[in-house]
Amino acid sequence: MKSFTRFALRLGIYFIVVGYICADLFLFNGPIQRRILASHPDSPESIAKAKAEGVVARVFGHKITRSQLHRAVHERLFLEGTSFENLGPNEKKMVEYAALGELIDHELMRVKVKVNSNKLKVTDEEIDARLERFSKTFLTREELEKAMRSQGIPSMGALRNRIAARIQQEKYVALRVDPLCTVSEQEIIDFYQNHRDELMIPARIRVRHIFIPTLDTPASEAKETLETALSHLRNGSETFAQLARSISKDPSTSEHAGDLGWMSRLRLPEDFANATFDLPLDQPTLIQTKIGLHIVEVTDRRPAEIPSLEGIRTEIHTALTTAKRHRAVNDFRSALRRFEEQKIDIFHDQLGR
Protein backbone atom coordinates (compact mmCIF):
# COMPACT_ATOMS: atom_id res chain seq x y z
CA MET A 1 0.00 0.00 0.00
CA LYS A 2 2.84 2.32 0.87
CA SER A 3 4.35 1.59 -2.58
CA PHE A 4 1.10 2.60 -4.26
CA THR A 5 0.97 5.80 -2.20
CA ARG A 6 4.50 6.80 -3.23
CA PHE A 7 3.69 6.09 -6.90
CA ALA A 8 0.52 8.18 -6.68
CA LEU A 9 2.47 11.00 -5.02
CA ARG A 10 5.13 11.01 -7.74
CA LEU A 11 2.46 10.89 -10.42
CA GLY A 12 0.68 13.79 -8.82
CA ILE A 13 3.86 15.86 -8.65
CA TYR A 14 4.56 15.00 -12.30
CA PHE A 15 1.12 16.23 -13.39
CA ILE A 16 1.51 19.40 -11.31
CA VAL A 17 4.88 20.19 -12.92
CA VAL A 18 3.63 19.42 -16.44
CA GLY A 19 0.51 21.44 -15.79
CA TYR A 20 2.55 24.41 -14.57
CA ILE A 21 4.86 24.27 -17.58
CA CYS A 22 1.90 24.10 -19.98
CA ALA A 23 0.19 26.98 -18.20
CA ASP A 24 3.44 28.99 -18.24
CA LEU A 25 3.93 28.41 -21.95
CA PHE A 26 0.38 28.55 -23.27
CA LEU A 27 -1.90 30.34 -20.77
CA PHE A 28 0.13 33.15 -19.28
CA ASN A 29 3.50 34.81 -19.92
CA GLY A 30 5.40 33.04 -17.17
CA PRO A 31 9.16 33.03 -16.46
CA ILE A 32 9.81 29.91 -18.55
CA GLN A 33 8.13 31.41 -21.62
CA ARG A 34 9.90 34.74 -21.11
CA ARG A 35 13.25 32.97 -20.85
CA ILE A 36 12.63 30.94 -24.00
CA LEU A 37 11.51 34.02 -25.92
CA ALA A 38 14.49 36.03 -24.69
CA SER A 39 16.87 33.33 -25.91
CA HIS A 40 15.41 33.38 -29.43
CA PRO A 41 17.86 35.04 -31.89
CA ASP A 42 15.19 37.47 -33.11
CA SER A 43 14.02 38.55 -29.69
CA PRO A 44 14.67 42.17 -28.63
CA GLU A 45 16.81 40.85 -25.78
CA SER A 46 19.01 38.73 -28.08
CA ILE A 47 19.39 41.54 -30.61
CA ALA A 48 20.25 44.08 -27.92
CA LYS A 49 22.82 41.69 -26.46
CA ALA A 50 24.38 41.08 -29.88
CA LYS A 51 24.65 44.80 -30.58
CA ALA A 52 26.22 45.39 -27.18
CA GLU A 53 28.85 42.77 -28.11
CA GLY A 54 29.71 44.72 -31.29
CA VAL A 55 27.85 42.44 -33.71
CA VAL A 56 26.93 44.13 -37.01
CA ALA A 57 25.38 41.11 -38.77
CA ARG A 58 24.53 37.45 -38.30
CA VAL A 59 24.53 34.69 -40.91
CA PHE A 60 22.96 31.38 -39.87
CA GLY A 61 23.55 32.61 -36.32
CA HIS A 62 27.27 33.21 -36.92
CA LYS A 63 28.23 36.66 -35.67
CA ILE A 64 30.10 39.20 -37.78
CA THR A 65 31.62 41.75 -35.42
CA ARG A 66 32.55 45.37 -35.89
CA SER A 67 36.23 44.48 -35.49
CA GLN A 68 35.96 41.93 -38.32
CA LEU A 69 34.27 44.52 -40.51
CA HIS A 70 36.93 47.07 -39.58
CA ARG A 71 39.71 44.69 -40.71
CA ALA A 72 37.86 43.83 -43.92
CA VAL A 73 37.35 47.52 -44.77
CA HIS A 74 40.98 48.44 -44.20
CA GLU A 75 42.24 45.39 -46.12
CA ARG A 76 39.98 46.28 -49.05
CA LEU A 77 41.17 49.90 -49.09
CA PHE A 78 44.81 48.86 -48.66
CA LEU A 79 44.57 46.77 -51.82
CA GLU A 80 43.05 49.80 -53.60
CA GLY A 81 45.88 52.06 -52.42
CA THR A 82 43.84 54.34 -50.18
CA SER A 83 42.73 54.60 -46.55
CA PHE A 84 39.47 55.00 -44.62
CA GLU A 85 40.51 58.44 -43.37
CA ASN A 86 40.73 59.75 -46.96
CA LEU A 87 37.07 58.95 -47.72
CA GLY A 88 34.04 61.17 -47.40
CA PRO A 89 31.02 60.14 -45.25
CA ASN A 90 29.08 58.60 -48.17
CA GLU A 91 32.16 56.79 -49.46
CA LYS A 92 32.85 55.37 -46.00
CA LYS A 93 29.31 54.03 -45.80
CA MET A 94 29.53 52.49 -49.27
CA VAL A 95 32.84 50.75 -48.59
CA GLU A 96 31.52 49.43 -45.25
CA TYR A 97 28.48 47.89 -46.94
CA ALA A 98 30.66 46.44 -49.71
CA ALA A 99 33.02 44.86 -47.18
CA LEU A 100 30.09 43.59 -45.11
CA GLY A 101 28.59 42.04 -48.23
CA GLU A 102 31.81 40.14 -48.82
CA LEU A 103 31.85 38.91 -45.21
CA ILE A 104 28.22 37.76 -45.51
CA ASP A 105 28.99 35.97 -48.77
CA HIS A 106 31.97 34.34 -47.09
CA GLU A 107 29.81 32.98 -44.26
CA LEU A 108 27.12 31.75 -46.65
CA MET A 109 29.78 30.00 -48.68
CA ARG A 110 31.32 28.55 -45.52
CA VAL A 111 28.00 26.91 -44.64
CA LYS A 112 27.49 25.58 -48.17
CA VAL A 113 31.04 24.26 -48.33
CA LYS A 114 30.61 22.47 -45.02
CA VAL A 115 27.53 20.68 -46.35
CA ASN A 116 29.36 19.73 -49.59
CA SER A 117 32.83 19.14 -48.12
CA ASN A 118 32.98 15.53 -49.33
CA LYS A 119 32.93 16.82 -52.92
CA LEU A 120 35.52 19.54 -52.32
CA LYS A 121 38.73 17.82 -51.30
CA VAL A 122 41.78 20.07 -50.95
CA THR A 123 45.24 18.51 -51.13
CA ASP A 124 48.36 19.55 -49.25
CA GLU A 125 49.98 20.28 -52.62
CA GLU A 126 47.24 22.81 -53.46
CA ILE A 127 47.64 24.50 -50.09
CA ASP A 128 51.45 24.55 -50.40
CA ALA A 129 51.28 26.14 -53.87
CA ARG A 130 48.80 28.82 -52.76
CA LEU A 131 50.79 29.52 -49.58
CA GLU A 132 54.00 29.91 -51.59
CA ARG A 133 52.37 32.43 -53.96
CA PHE A 134 50.89 34.32 -51.03
CA SER A 135 54.19 34.42 -49.13
CA LYS A 136 55.97 35.90 -52.16
CA THR A 137 53.89 39.07 -51.82
CA PHE A 138 55.92 39.89 -48.68
CA LEU A 139 59.59 40.80 -48.67
CA THR A 140 60.38 38.99 -45.41
CA ARG A 141 58.92 36.38 -43.08
CA GLU A 142 58.55 39.14 -40.46
CA GLU A 143 56.31 41.14 -42.80
CA LEU A 144 54.16 38.07 -43.41
CA GLU A 145 53.79 37.37 -39.69
CA LYS A 146 52.93 41.02 -39.00
CA ALA A 147 50.21 40.90 -41.65
CA MET A 148 48.91 37.64 -40.14
CA ARG A 149 48.68 39.20 -36.69
CA SER A 150 46.82 42.21 -38.07
CA GLN A 151 44.22 39.83 -39.52
CA GLY A 152 43.93 37.81 -36.32
CA ILE A 153 45.76 34.74 -37.70
CA PRO A 154 47.84 33.30 -34.82
CA SER A 155 49.97 30.71 -36.64
CA MET A 156 51.02 29.23 -39.97
CA GLY A 157 48.71 26.32 -39.25
CA ALA A 158 45.79 28.72 -38.93
CA LEU A 159 46.85 30.41 -42.16
CA ARG A 160 46.93 27.04 -43.93
CA ASN A 161 43.41 26.34 -42.63
CA ARG A 162 42.21 29.67 -44.03
CA ILE A 163 43.83 28.99 -47.37
CA ALA A 164 42.25 25.52 -47.48
CA ALA A 165 38.84 27.05 -46.71
CA ARG A 166 39.32 29.64 -49.48
CA ILE A 167 40.26 26.94 -51.99
CA GLN A 168 37.20 24.93 -50.97
CA GLN A 169 34.99 27.96 -51.54
CA GLU A 170 36.54 28.51 -54.97
CA LYS A 171 35.90 24.87 -55.85
CA TYR A 172 32.31 25.11 -54.67
CA VAL A 173 31.72 28.21 -56.81
CA ALA A 174 33.40 26.51 -59.78
CA LEU A 175 31.17 23.48 -59.29
CA ARG A 176 28.12 25.72 -59.61
CA VAL A 177 29.16 28.21 -62.29
CA ASP A 178 31.66 26.49 -64.61
CA PRO A 179 28.93 24.67 -66.57
CA LEU A 180 27.52 28.13 -67.39
CA CYS A 181 30.81 29.45 -68.76
CA THR A 182 31.33 27.39 -71.90
CA VAL A 183 32.07 29.41 -75.05
CA SER A 184 30.91 28.18 -78.43
CA GLU A 185 32.72 28.56 -81.74
CA GLN A 186 29.89 30.77 -83.00
CA GLU A 187 30.31 33.13 -80.05
CA ILE A 188 34.01 33.47 -80.89
CA ILE A 189 33.22 34.22 -84.54
CA ASP A 190 30.49 36.72 -83.61
CA PHE A 191 32.82 38.53 -81.20
CA TYR A 192 35.53 38.73 -83.85
CA GLN A 193 33.13 40.11 -86.46
CA ASN A 194 31.54 42.64 -84.10
CA HIS A 195 34.78 43.97 -82.61
CA ARG A 196 37.11 44.15 -85.59
CA ASP A 197 37.88 47.84 -85.07
CA GLU A 198 38.70 47.26 -81.40
CA LEU A 199 40.96 44.34 -82.30
CA MET A 200 42.96 46.49 -84.72
CA ILE A 201 46.69 46.33 -84.07
CA PRO A 202 48.09 49.87 -84.56
CA ALA A 203 51.04 50.70 -86.78
CA ARG A 204 54.33 49.75 -85.11
CA ILE A 205 58.00 50.40 -85.54
CA ARG A 206 60.99 48.48 -84.31
CA VAL A 207 63.52 50.98 -83.08
CA ARG A 208 66.89 51.01 -81.39
CA HIS A 209 68.73 53.85 -79.73
CA ILE A 210 71.95 55.07 -78.14
CA PHE A 211 71.03 57.31 -75.25
CA ILE A 212 72.76 59.90 -73.06
CA PRO A 213 70.55 61.64 -70.46
CA THR A 214 71.06 65.38 -69.97
CA LEU A 215 70.06 65.25 -66.32
CA ASP A 216 73.63 64.53 -65.20
CA THR A 217 75.53 65.26 -68.44
CA PRO A 218 75.70 68.73 -70.07
CA ALA A 219 73.64 68.79 -73.27
CA SER A 220 76.59 70.16 -75.29
CA GLU A 221 78.84 67.32 -74.13
CA ALA A 222 76.17 64.68 -74.86
CA LYS A 223 75.56 66.16 -78.31
CA GLU A 224 79.27 66.16 -79.16
CA THR A 225 79.64 62.52 -78.07
CA LEU A 226 76.65 61.37 -80.09
CA GLU A 227 77.61 63.39 -83.21
CA THR A 228 81.00 61.67 -83.16
CA ALA A 229 79.28 58.29 -82.73
CA LEU A 230 76.92 59.10 -85.61
CA SER A 231 79.84 59.84 -87.94
CA HIS A 232 81.42 56.49 -86.97
CA LEU A 233 78.17 54.76 -87.83
CA ARG A 234 77.93 56.43 -91.20
CA ASN A 235 81.52 55.67 -92.21
CA GLY A 236 81.21 52.09 -90.94
CA SER A 237 84.10 52.27 -88.47
CA GLU A 238 81.82 51.09 -85.63
CA THR A 239 78.51 49.25 -85.48
CA PHE A 240 75.36 50.31 -83.68
CA ALA A 241 75.79 47.42 -81.23
CA GLN A 242 79.37 48.44 -80.40
CA LEU A 243 78.41 52.06 -79.79
CA ALA A 244 75.34 51.11 -77.74
CA ARG A 245 77.53 48.97 -75.51
CA SER A 246 80.24 51.60 -75.06
CA ILE A 247 78.28 54.88 -75.01
CA SER A 248 74.59 54.36 -74.22
CA LYS A 249 73.44 55.09 -70.67
CA ASP A 250 70.31 52.97 -71.02
CA PRO A 251 71.23 49.79 -69.09
CA SER A 252 68.15 47.88 -70.27
CA THR A 253 69.17 48.07 -73.95
CA SER A 254 72.92 48.78 -74.10
CA GLU A 255 73.83 45.07 -74.11
CA HIS A 256 71.18 44.31 -76.74
CA ALA A 257 72.37 46.61 -79.53
CA GLY A 258 70.10 49.37 -78.16
CA ASP A 259 66.98 47.48 -79.25
CA LEU A 260 63.72 48.87 -77.82
CA GLY A 261 61.56 46.27 -79.59
CA TRP A 262 58.26 46.77 -81.38
CA MET A 263 56.31 49.83 -80.28
CA SER A 264 53.20 51.75 -81.29
CA ARG A 265 52.87 55.50 -80.90
CA LEU A 266 50.87 55.06 -77.70
CA ARG A 267 53.70 53.11 -76.09
CA LEU A 268 56.25 55.81 -76.75
CA PRO A 269 56.69 59.20 -75.03
CA GLU A 270 55.10 61.83 -77.24
CA ASP A 271 58.31 63.74 -78.01
CA PHE A 272 60.19 60.51 -78.80
CA ALA A 273 57.34 59.24 -81.02
CA ASN A 274 57.01 62.52 -82.92
CA ALA A 275 60.73 62.57 -83.71
CA THR A 276 61.05 58.87 -84.53
CA PHE A 277 57.88 57.33 -85.90
CA ASP A 278 58.11 58.62 -89.46
CA LEU A 279 61.87 58.23 -89.96
CA PRO A 280 63.00 56.19 -92.97
CA LEU A 281 64.30 52.69 -92.28
CA ASP A 282 67.97 52.13 -91.43
CA GLN A 283 68.93 55.79 -91.17
CA PRO A 284 70.44 56.62 -87.74
CA THR A 285 69.35 60.11 -86.68
CA LEU A 286 70.24 62.35 -83.74
CA ILE A 287 67.17 63.57 -81.83
CA GLN A 288 66.54 65.36 -78.54
CA THR A 289 63.79 64.64 -76.02
CA LYS A 290 62.93 65.97 -72.58
CA ILE A 291 65.20 63.49 -70.88
CA GLY A 292 68.24 63.60 -73.14
CA LEU A 293 69.74 62.97 -76.56
CA HIS A 294 69.45 59.81 -78.64
CA ILE A 295 70.75 58.32 -81.83
CA VAL A 296 67.69 56.45 -83.08
CA GLU A 297 67.27 54.04 -85.95
CA VAL A 298 64.04 52.50 -87.20
CA THR A 299 64.94 48.97 -88.24
CA ASP A 300 61.48 47.70 -89.29
CA ARG A 301 57.93 48.92 -89.73
CA ARG A 302 54.51 47.26 -89.73
CA PRO A 303 51.28 48.95 -90.81
CA ALA A 304 48.06 48.84 -88.79
CA GLU A 305 46.28 45.54 -89.29
CA ILE A 306 43.39 43.43 -88.08
CA PRO A 307 44.73 40.11 -86.78
CA SER A 308 43.34 36.91 -88.22
CA LEU A 309 40.73 35.01 -86.24
CA GLU A 310 43.10 32.07 -85.91
CA GLY A 311 45.78 34.36 -84.54
CA ILE A 312 43.66 35.58 -81.62
CA ARG A 313 41.18 32.73 -81.15
CA THR A 314 42.72 31.78 -77.79
CA GLU A 315 42.63 35.37 -76.51
CA ILE A 316 38.96 35.79 -77.53
CA HIS A 317 38.03 32.46 -75.92
CA THR A 318 39.77 33.48 -72.69
CA ALA A 319 38.15 36.92 -72.65
CA LEU A 320 34.64 35.53 -73.24
CA THR A 321 35.11 32.79 -70.65
CA THR A 322 36.36 35.30 -68.08
CA ALA A 323 33.43 37.66 -68.72
CA LYS A 324 30.91 34.83 -68.48
CA ARG A 325 32.46 33.54 -65.29
CA HIS A 326 32.47 36.99 -63.71
CA ARG A 327 28.76 37.41 -64.45
CA ALA A 328 27.95 33.86 -63.34
CA VAL A 329 29.79 34.27 -60.03
CA ASN A 330 28.01 37.57 -59.29
CA ASP A 331 24.64 36.07 -60.23
CA PHE A 332 25.33 32.99 -58.09
CA ARG A 333 26.26 35.06 -55.04
CA SER A 334 23.21 37.30 -55.48
CA ALA A 335 20.94 34.28 -55.85
CA LEU A 336 22.47 32.65 -52.78
CA ARG A 337 21.95 35.85 -50.77
CA ARG A 338 18.29 36.04 -51.86
CA PHE A 339 17.66 32.35 -51.18
CA GLU A 340 19.07 32.57 -47.66
CA GLU A 341 17.85 36.07 -46.80
CA GLN A 342 15.83 34.74 -43.85
CA LYS A 343 19.10 33.53 -42.32
CA ILE A 344 20.81 36.93 -42.63
CA ASP A 345 20.41 39.72 -40.08
CA ILE A 346 22.07 43.09 -40.68
CA PHE A 347 22.02 45.64 -37.88
CA HIS A 348 22.13 48.77 -40.00
CA ASP A 349 22.26 51.09 -36.99
CA GLN A 350 25.62 49.56 -36.05
CA LEU A 351 27.28 50.67 -39.29
CA GLY A 352 29.03 53.98 -39.82
CA ARG A 353 30.04 54.22 -36.18
Side-chain angles (χ1 to χ4, degrees):
M1 190 66 169
K2 289 181 179 180
S3 176
F4 176 78
T5 302
R6 286 196 298 271
F7 173 76
L9 182 61
R10 287 197 299 268
L11 188 62
I13 293 172
Y14 171 77
F15 278 115
I16 290 172
V17 171
V18 171
Y20 173 77
I21 292 173
C22 290
D24 184 292
L25 294 175
F26 301 111
L27 296 181
F28 58 88
N29 185 26
I32 296 176
Q33 186 184 40
R34 288 197 300 272
R35 193 161 188 173
I36 291 173
L37 290 175
S39 66
H40 192 277
D42 293 330
S43 70
E45 293 87 351
S46 292
I47 292 175
K49 182 182 178 183
K51 290 180 179 180
E53 293 172 348
V55 176
V56 295
R58 295 181 302 197
V59 182
F60 281 94
H62 179 87
K63 299 173 182 177
I64 298 174
T65 65
R66 190 177 293 110
S67 61
Q68 286 176 288
L69 178 60
H70 178 80
R71 285 200 300 268
V73 166
H74 283 266
E75 181 180 355
R76 182 185 182 95
L77 293 175
F78 172 75
L79 294 174
E80 294 175 0
T82 186
S83 66
F84 196 69
E85 293 71 23
N86 293 332
L87 303 179
N90 290 336
E91 292 173 312
K92 287 180 178 179
K93 191 171 184 179
M94 288 175 60
V95 78
E96 274 197 334
Y97 271 102
L100 181 59
E102 290 179 357
L103 290 172
I104 290 172
D105 288 345
H106 174 77
E107 288 304 322
L108 288 172
M109 294 294 296
R110 187 180 62 82
V111 172
K112 296 299 181 181
V113 165
K114 187 175 181 180
V115 173
N116 295 272
S117 59
N118 61 320
K119 302 177 185 177
L120 306 168
K121 301 298 182 184
V122 179
T123 66
D124 286 339
E125 290 75 13
E126 289 175 303
I127 298 172
D128 290 341
R130 185 69 63 87
L131 179 58
E132 182 180 0
R133 291 202 301 273
F134 178 71
S135 299
K136 286 181 178 178
T137 61
F138 300 91
L139 295 176
T140 65
R141 175 66 175 250
E142 289 72 23
E143 284 189 14
L144 170 60
E145 292 174 348
K146 181 179 178 181
M148 288 168 56
R149 287 193 297 272
S150 71
Q151 294 300 312
I153 305 173
S155 66
M156 290 301 293
L159 178 59
R160 289 180 65 86
N161 289 338
R162 288 204 181 191
I163 289 173
R166 177 60 60 88
I167 295 173
Q168 275 194 317
Q169 288 189 11
E170 291 170 0
K171 288 188 174 186
Y172 178 73
V173 172
L175 195 67
R176 293 291 183 267
V177 307
D178 282 358
L180 307 175
C181 301
T182 56
V183 175
S184 69
E185 176 64 17
Q186 189 59 50
E187 286 177 301
I188 294 174
I189 294 172
D190 290 344
F191 183 90
Y192 179 77
Q193 294 294 342
N194 295 331
H195 296 83
R196 290 172 65 88
D197 291 343
E198 299 165 40
L199 296 172
M200 174 80 71
I201 300 174
R204 291 150 293 156
I205 58 173
R206 185 160 193 171
V207 62
R208 57 184 179 178
H209 78 155
I210 300 167
F211 172 60
I212 299 179
T214 52
L215 181 64
D216 50 9
T217 302
S220 58
E221 181 182 329
K223 184 177 181 181
E224 182 180 351
T225 300
L226 290 179
E227 284 178 341
T228 301
L230 187 59
S231 66
H232 290 171
L233 275 176
R234 288 171 174 167
N235 64 30
S237 60
E238 290 189 83
T239 66
F240 206 103
Q242 289 171 330
L243 290 168
R245 191 177 302 113
S246 62
I247 296 174
S248 183
K249 304 301 182 182
D250 179 0
S252 64
T253 65
S254 59
E255 294 299 321
H256 305 283
D259 187 25
L260 292 166
W262 287 98
M263 292 187 176
S264 66
R265 274 189 183 272
L266 294 178
R267 286 190 57 196
L268 292 169
E270 184 178 2
D271 55 350
F272 188 91
N274 290 339
T276 306
F277 216 82
D278 295 322
L279 288 176
L281 293 180
D282 305 321
Q283 290 191 19
T285 304
L286 181 62
I287 68 167
Q288 183 167 3
T289 64
K290 295 176 182 177
I291 59 174
L293 287 102
H294 318 244
I295 294 176
V296 295
E297 181 180 7
V298 178
T299 59
D300 204 351
R301 174 174 277 110
R302 290 177 182 171
E305 60 181 338
I306 297 174
S308 68
L309 175 58
E310 291 306 315
I312 58 170
R313 180 185 301 277
T314 300
E315 288 83 352
I316 293 176
H317 184 276
T318 300
L320 291 177
T321 301
T322 300
K324 279 192 172 188
R325 196 172 197 283
H326 181 72
R327 288 194 299 270
V329 168
N330 286 339
D331 290 345
F332 172 72
R333 291 184 182 275
S334 297
L336 183 60
R337 185 89 68 88
R338 289 194 302 272
F339 184 75
E340 301 293 359
E341 63 181 345
Q342 298 301 318
K343 303 296 183 182
I344 302 170
D345 301 308
I346 299 176
F347 304 138
H348 297 276
D349 58 343
Q350 299 302 296
L351 298 173
R353 297 175 62 181

